[in-house]
Amino acid sequence: MKLKTIALAVLIAAAVLPAQARKAKKFTHETVAIPAVEARVIAVETAGTQLLLQVDSRGEVRTVHYGAPVGDPAQFTDFFTGFNHNFGAPNAYPTVGGRFNGQEALHVEYPDGSQNTELYLTGSEVSSREGIVTTTLHMKDYVTALEVDLVYDAHQAEDVIAMHSVIRNPGKKPVRLRNFASASLNLAADSFELTHFYGGWATEMQIDRELLTHDTKVLESRRGTQNTQGNNPSFVLSLGHPFSETDGATIAGALAWSGNFRISFELDQSDRLNIVSGISPFASHYPLAAGKSFTTPEMIYTWSADGAGGASRNLHRWARKWGVWNGGQVNPTLLNSWEGAYFNFTTETLLRMIDDAADMGLEMFVLDDGWFGMQHPRNSDNAGLGDWELNTRKIPEGIDYVASYAHSKGLKFGIWIEPEMVNPDSNLAQAHPDWVVQSPGREIYQSRNQWILDLSNPAVQDFVFGVFDRTVSLSPNIDYIKWDCNRRVMSFGSPYLGAEQDRFYVEYIQGLYSVCERMRAKYPKLIVQCCSAGGSRVDYGALRYFNEVWPSDNSDAISRTRIQWGTSLIYPACVMAAHVSAVPNHQTGNVTPLKFRFDVAASGRLGMELQPKALSAEERALADRCISSYKGYRELVFGGDLYRLASPYDGDFYALMYVSPDKRRAVVFCYCLRFQNCSIATHPFLLQGLDPALSYKVTEQNVDSSCWWGDGRSFTGAFLAGGGFNPAFEKANTSAVFVLEAQ
Ligand code: DGJ
C-alpha cells in the first residue's frame, strides 16, 4: 500500500513538474572521468610543410604550428609559441563547451537541450596511398559519447593538406548540428593580410584585400545554388607581410563545397588567428540521427614561403592531379553557339557554324541553350526548361544529324543543359508541382523566369540524372556537356523534407553530388563544363566532377584580365574556359582588337563565341594563326607552372607566364591595358621560373611584325629574369605572346 502511494506520487510529480525541475534532480558535482593519454605531438607533414598537433595528457589537441618544417615535432610536446598563456589556445577543432571562448567549429544540441561538447583524443592512425598520407584523430566527448574524427590528407609532393571532419552520433536519439565546420586552423604571425574574391554576375573573382583586425571577418554564401556569385569559398593569406606574388609566408585555402559556405577569421586578444571553414549553418541546424555520421567537405590548405605565386602553384598542381575531373587533360578548342546565335537558329545555322569552326582549325562545336521544348519552345528564357525533348521545328533532322556532321568535319560535339531548373511555362512544372523549391502558401519567386527543382528529393535526383543521361544518348557523337545553373535559392523550402527544412541546403548539394557521382560512373570520359550564369559555381566541390568552368558570362577581354587573374590565384588554367567574342562586346560594349581578344583567351582553354560569318577575311586569317599557334603551346597552359608577372589591378600592364615542369619551355603573355602617357617606357616584365643557366630561343606568336627586338633571338634564363621583356606597346589593348624554347 505504502509502495503504491509512493509510486503514484512519483507519477503525479512527473506529470505536473516542469521538465527543468525534473532534470534538476540529476545535477550533482560529479564529473565524468577523462582517461589520461600520453602527451605528444602528431605531425602532419608534406615535402615542404608541417602541421603540428599537440596532444596534452588530458587528450586535448591543439594546432601549434603550420608552415615551414621546424624539425623534430617532439620539441612542441609541452611547449607552444604565439599563444597568450592566460587565455589558452584554441583546440584543433574548437567546440561550444570547454574553456575556450573563441569561435567554434562544432556546436551540437543534444536531446536534453544541453549544448556543450568537449573533445578528447581516443586514438589516432596513419595510412598512405599514392603520395597522400592520411592522419586520422579519433576524438570523443565523454559526457554525451559524441565522436568526431579529424582527418588530414597530406599530399606530399604538392604541399597541400586537405582537412575534414566526420561527426558521429552513437546515441539513441538524434542530435542537432548547429555548426559543423570542416576544419579549424590556428596561426601566429605579426600581421595577416587577407586577399579574397568578390563580384556579381559578369564580374566574378575580383580581388579584395584587407589587413585583418581584431574580431571576426566572415566570407559567406547563403545563396544555396550559385554559391560563388558574390564571393568565393577561398582566400590567400599573407603572414607578416603585405601580399606578394614572389616572397613571404603565404597560405591559400579553398573549401570543396558548392553550397552555402562560411569561412571566418577571428583575430583574438592574444593576436592569434583562428580560421574556421565549412558549410554555412545558415537555416541548417542539421539533424544527425542516432547511429549516423556526417562527413564535412574538404578544406584544402597549402603553405608556401614563395608568396601567392608559390601557394597557387601548389594548389594548381594538386588540382590537376586530385581536385579536377581528368585535370591533366588538354581539352579541345571550340566554337560555342551562344553569343553568335542565342536562341535564334536552325539546323542550317548550326551546320554553317560547324563549317566555319572547322575552317578556322577549332576542334569542337557546342550547341548552347535553345534546342529543346516543343509545347513550350525554348525560344527565349521564358519557357521550356524542364522539357528536354528536341525542338524539331528548329532541328527537324535531330541532334545526331548535327553531331555527326560535326564529327564528319573532324570536330567534336557538345550540347547545353540546365537540368536543375524549370520554367513555370513547361510541361514539367505542371506535372510535378511538388518538385519545385517552395514554401507553402508563399510566392515562388522567379529569377530569369525560372524555378529550382528540389534536389534534396531522390525522385528529382533521378530526373536530373535522367536529363543528363538522355541528352548524352541523343547521339553517340556527343563529347561534351555544358551544365548550366542560372539562379540562386530564394524563399527556400522542400516539399519532400516536410518538417525537416533544416536539411534542405545541405541535402540539395548532397543530391547534386549524388547525381554527379552517377554521371561520372557512367561517363568518365565525357568533358563536362560547370557553368552557372558564368562563374557562379566555381569551387573544388564541383570540380571533382567537372573538367572545366565558365568563369564568367563577361567575354570582354578587358574584363577577363581581372576575372582570370583572380581565378588563377586558386584555380588552374586547365579549368578556365575563355572565349573570343564579337565587338562591341555584348556585355560591356567595349571594342578591342581581335588579337588582344585572342591573346587574353589563349591564357586559358581557348574558344570562340561569335558568328564567324561576321569576321572579315583578314580577321579570319588572324584567327587561323592564333588557333594554330595556341595548339603549339597549350600544353604549357594546361600543365605548366603559372607565374603572374604583373597584375591588371595594379597598373597599366598585365603579364603572366606558364613554364613546363622541366623548365625547358615557357609561354609568356603580356598586355597593355591602358596607355595614357606617350613617353612612358613599357614596363619590363621580369620572367620567373626559368633555369638561369639555360639559353632560351624566343619566338613571338600571332603577329605580322614583331613588337620586341628580341624576337627570334636566344637569351639566358638569368637575362630574362634580370633584364626581362620590354615589348613596344604603344596603344591600349595591345598584347604579345612569346614562346621560349631551351636550346
Ligand atoms: C548562362 C551561361 O553562362 C551562358 O553561357 C549561356 O549558356 C546562357 N546561360 C544560356 O541560357
Side-chain angles (χ1 to χ4, degrees), residues 73-253:
Q75 295 172 99
F76 274 96
T77 302
D78 53 4
F79 172 78
F80 45 73
T81 57
F83 296 103
N84 179 323
H85 289 251
N86 290 328
F87 299 118
N91 285 344
Y93 194 68
T95 55
V96 166
R99 290 166 295 163
F100 179 67
N101 294 123
Q103 62 178 0
E104 84 285 357
L106 182 69
H107 182 183
V108 184
E109 184 183 335
Y110 296 96
D112 64 358
S114 69
Q115 297 184 24
N116 289 302
T117 304
E118 294 182 49
L119 295 176
Y120 298 95
L121 188 75
T122 58
S124 67
E125 71 219 23
V126 178
S127 62
S128 58
R129 65 182 165 105
E130 290 179 76
I132 306 173
V133 176
T134 300
T135 305
T136 305
L137 273 54
H138 303 294
M139 316 281 293
K140 180 175 177 171
D141 179 63
Y142 283 95
V143 173
T144 63
L146 188 96
E147 293 169 356
V148 175
D149 284 351
L150 303 182
V151 186
Y152 301 85
D153 282 326
H155 296 257
Q156 301 299 292
E158 296 84 14
D159 281 338
V160 160
I161 300 179
M163 310 177 183
H164 75 274
S165 62
V166 181
I167 305 159
R168 250 188 315 280
N169 173 15
K172 293 202 164 41
K173 291 184 180 165
V175 299
R176 209 162 266 281
L177 306 181
R178 286 177 165 227
N179 197 356
F180 40 106
S182 295
S184 164
L185 186 63
N186 310 310
L187 299 165
D190 288 344
S191 65
F192 301 93
E193 194 185 75
L194 176 69
T195 300
H196 61 100
F197 309 95
Y198 74 96
W201 176 77
T203 171
E204 296 86 341
M205 291 301 272
Q206 306 290 303
I207 301 299
D208 249 348
R209 191 160 289 144
E210 66 193 91
L211 200 60
L212 291 177
T213 54
H214 293 94
D215 217 332
T216 307
K217 163 82 188 176
V218 177
L219 309 176
E220 187 167 28
S221 171
R222 300 171 167 214
R223 291 167 175 262
T225 54
Q226 297 202 308
N227 60 319
T228 66
Q229 193 177 91
N231 52 24
N232 195 274
S234 62
F235 62 88
V236 173
L237 194 65
S238 308
L239 305 178
H241 59 89
F243 177 92
S244 162
E245 275 293 340
T246 49
D247 301 301
T250 301
I251 286 173

Side-chain angles (χ1 to χ4, degrees), residues 201 204 336 338-339 342-343 368-370 378 381 385 416-418 448 450 482 484-486 529 531-535 550 552-554 579 609:
W201 176 77
E204 296 86 341
N336 177 295
W338 182 240
E339 288 196 24
Y342 291 108
F343 294 104
D368 210 282
D369 198 352
R378 181 77 172 164
D381 58 26
L385 281 180
W416 179 97
I417 54 173
E418 193 182 1
R448 209 192 188 214
Q450 66 199 52
K482 174 174 176 178
D484 208 343
C485 167
N486 280 300
Q529 181 186 74
C531 173
S532 179
W550 179 228
S552 180
D553 269 350
N554 191 337
H579 296 177
E609 189 160 331

